[in-house]
Amino acid sequence: MVKLSLEGVGAAYGARRILSDVSTPVFKGSEVIAVVGPNAAGKSTLFKRIAGLVDGPGEVRIEGARRGMDGICYMPQDSVATARLTVYESVLLARKQRQPTWTVHEDDLALIDTVMASIGIGELAFRHLDELSGGQRQLVSIAQTLAREPEIMLMDEPTSALDMRRQFQVLGFIRNIAKARGMIVLIALHDLNQALRFADQVLVIADGTARASGPCEDVITGQMLREVYRIEARVERCSMGARHVIVDGALHDLAVA
């Protein structure tokens, strides 16, 4: 089983410190971990640090991964491709990039068909990337990431451009495929209700450090929302048993210049 943990991880751009002393419990295969926190908290930098795209102190510990660092796939917020490729070609290219041979096999094509159909973009297969809407391009980026069959998947706000139906469809598929493949999925989300619905664990990043981590019901609390997000809110259980956040108001009004 693949495992991931962070010990004292930091990162900086030049003299500007972005992350400092981020440590986590051990995340295990089949878990979906929601990474939450305010804007500019350091979530994107954390993903880049885990993926080895930026340097810094501390240790990213990976155990049980068959491909080591090659088993990590990072999907950034802005992954706009400019090449004149069709959707199908771009997903196929993403799959073959991490394989030792460029020979295309039947199982490659079958997996791509399954992934594209599962997130609802099968009908876009022969459309060119520059013909797509922002939401469609985001779905293609998700398909490209999944087609690589990662062991650890880092997804930075993968549903930000999607409507509500697509968000639920994609997040449900990601959760199911994480369970089926034994992947670790770290997914940055702003919607805490989505985190409560789809994630097993949550990692709260604020001011460049880890403020809390653990099961969603233990971490997403009124106290955390007050301290990290500066809002008065409560977490309640609805009649169907699901937990959801109810916001009563901001602690401080935004100043208007």
Side-chain angles (χ1 to χ4, degrees), residues 36 40 91 100 113 156 167 191 201:
V36 305
V91 178
D113 289 341
D156 197 350
Q167 288 179 18
D191 189 332
Q201 307 272 341

Side-chain angles (χ1 to χ4, degrees), residues 203-251:
L203 172 62
V204 182
I205 301 295
D207 299 321
T209 191
R211 296 289 293 273
S213 61
C216 295
E217 61 270 20
D218 294 341
V219 173
I220 300 178
T221 63
Q223 180 178 347
M224 186 278 283
L225 295 167
R226 189 178 303 111
E227 293 176 354
V228 173
Y229 287 93
R230 307 297 296 165
I231 58 174
E232 288 290 355
R234 60 193 188 277
V235 182
E236 295 188 353
R237 192 177 299 276
C238 69
S239 59
M240 300 297 291
R243 293 163 60 85
H244 58 281
V245 175
I246 299 175
V247 178
D248 296 317
L251 292 182

